Amino acid sequence: MPLLSIRRRSTRHLVRGDHRLLMVGQGRRRLWLLALGLPLLVGALWFAERREQAAELAALREENRQLKASLEESRLLHREAQAAERQLVRRNAELSARVKRLSTELAFFRKQKDNP
């Protein structure tokens, strides 16, 4: 039987038959398209990821700048509060010393009044 499959076809059979044109190397073209397309796809995905990371980094830098500004403002308010507290403590000490001095003077004058 193998000899029958190798047998040449007749011209009549070839004329009556359905013939399709096939491009030679069509499989190679697909392979080349795949070989070129795959790195391009990977490159495009990498580029998109890098853009996304850059946008996220920019947002984080902006948030960091705002947090630093807020921290500096809080530090300034804390220093102002400490300065006001020191000033009040100093003023309280001055007033306490004055009250003590005036109490001493009052005691002296009362004593002078009682001893004519």
Side-chain angles (χ1 to χ4, degrees):
M1 266 313 189
L3 292 176
L4 293 176
S5 64
I6 297 175
R7 188 180 69 156
R8 291 185 166 197
R9 304 226 183 231
S10 70
T11 307
R12 284 184 189 166
H13 180 68
L14 290 175
V15 171
R16 281 189 237 142
D18 185 22
H19 301 289
R20 282 188 234 149
L21 296 176
L22 297 176
M23 292 187 64
V24 176
Q26 192 172 14
R28 284 186 177 176
R29 181 180 295 159
R30 287 182 186 155
L31 184 62
W32 275 106
L33 287 175
L34 182 64
L36 293 175
L38 189 60
L40 289 175
L41 178 64
V42 170
L45 291 175
W46 178 80
F47 182 71
E49 181 70 23
R50 293 286 292 169
R51 268 179 64 203
E52 186 178 307
Q53 287 175 352
E56 186 177 343
L57 182 62
L60 288 173
R61 284 184 176 158
E62 177 62 24
E63 183 181 1
N64 191 26
R65 187 192 61 76
Q66 290 175 354
L67 288 173
K68 282 182 179 180
S70 176
L71 178 63
E72 188 58 35
E73 184 179 347
S74 295
R75 285 179 179 167
L76 180 63
L77 290 173
H78 185 259
R79 284 194 300 259
E80 286 178 0
Q82 284 179 331
E85 183 181 358
R86 283 193 301 270
Q87 186 178 11
L88 289 174
V89 167
R90 188 175 58 244
R91 179 78 172 142
N92 189 20
E94 289 172 0
L95 290 175
S96 293
R98 187 172 178 196
V99 166
K100 188 175 181 181
R101 186 174 45 87
L102 289 174
S103 295
T104 305
E105 287 180 9
L106 180 61
F108 174 75
F109 287 126
R110 281 188 181 162
K111 193 174 184 183
Q112 288 293 327
K113 182 180 170 190
D114 290 339
N115 290 333

